[in-house]
Amino acid sequence: MFTTRRHGEASWGSLSTARRKEALLGYLFISPWLLGLLLFVLGPFVASLYLSFTTYSILQPGKWVGINNYVKAFSREPLFWKSLGNTAYYVVGAVPLRIVLGFALALLLNVKVRGLTIWRTLFYVPSITPLVATTVLWLYLLNPKFGLINYALSLAHIDPIPWLTSPKWSKPALILMSIWWVGGNMVIFLAGLQGIPQHLYEAAELDGANAWQRLWNVTIPMMTPTIYFNLIINIINTFQVFVQAFIMTDGGPLNSTRFYMLYLYDNAFRFFKMGYASALAWILFLIILVLTVLLVKSSDRWVFYGG
């Protein structure tokens, strides 16, 4: 047994030789992860904070400029606000769509039907396909001349839509594309649905509740922790949308798909403004942090943990 301190902690000196060896082996086994964390996560994290206050450009040593990069972003860079607006548009459009569709799919695939495992697999597989391959596939699907989506619309006598060549339709096109990854949400919702106690449904049925009333009064309240989790994950992911716009439109047409991460990438790796790009990264981090804190604060009002 360990000799415990005031707060229940065992001191290193009180450990037996066997326990010390066991602890050292534990540290040895997790050392690759610790080194990775220090070198590839915390190190760049601190370095980017320092660079955000400099004019570092890779080719020349950085010069300390204080908060000038942050002032420049907010006051002298129209593309900063444009990219931020494009990203907010995408987040507002894609997150509710993915949450609602993921929940609806989970409800449909939570009933006992023939071939249920196959159906679940079919809906989940798209979410694990490589992002670049998916993006190239959607380039064909959204093609205004021979794309499958416009062909389906033509069957309903709807004129072809210039999905990726019109500033009006480019962001809706990418929001539509975002449903490709709804399978990940579906799996998490399925796990949540299967954790709802069956006796709640039996009690509701005894009270005469129909299917809609059971959904509204039992399923949705019990699923609010899962909805809350999916909401935070999706907001964080959608704020970092990059590959689709980089490959499909490169920010066009007329900067309508120049999302925040693409604007950051351009400044860092096309214009070599590493200092300014680091400031942009920290602004995005703070935006996501504030939204996450607001969601956490609001969760007391709408998330029901059943306890």
Side-chain angles (χ1 to χ4, degrees), residues 79-93:
L79 265 183
F80 167 80
W81 292 107
K82 179 74 175 176
S83 63
L84 201 56
N86 288 340
T87 307
Y89 185 113
Y90 182 80
V91 172
V92 171

Side-chain angles (χ1 to χ4, degrees), residues 236-253:
I236 293 172
N237 286 339
T238 50
F239 257 105
Q240 299 176 70
V241 57
F242 171 72
V243 174
Q244 303 93 307
F246 180 71
I247 294 177
M248 298 171 80
T249 61
D250 197 21

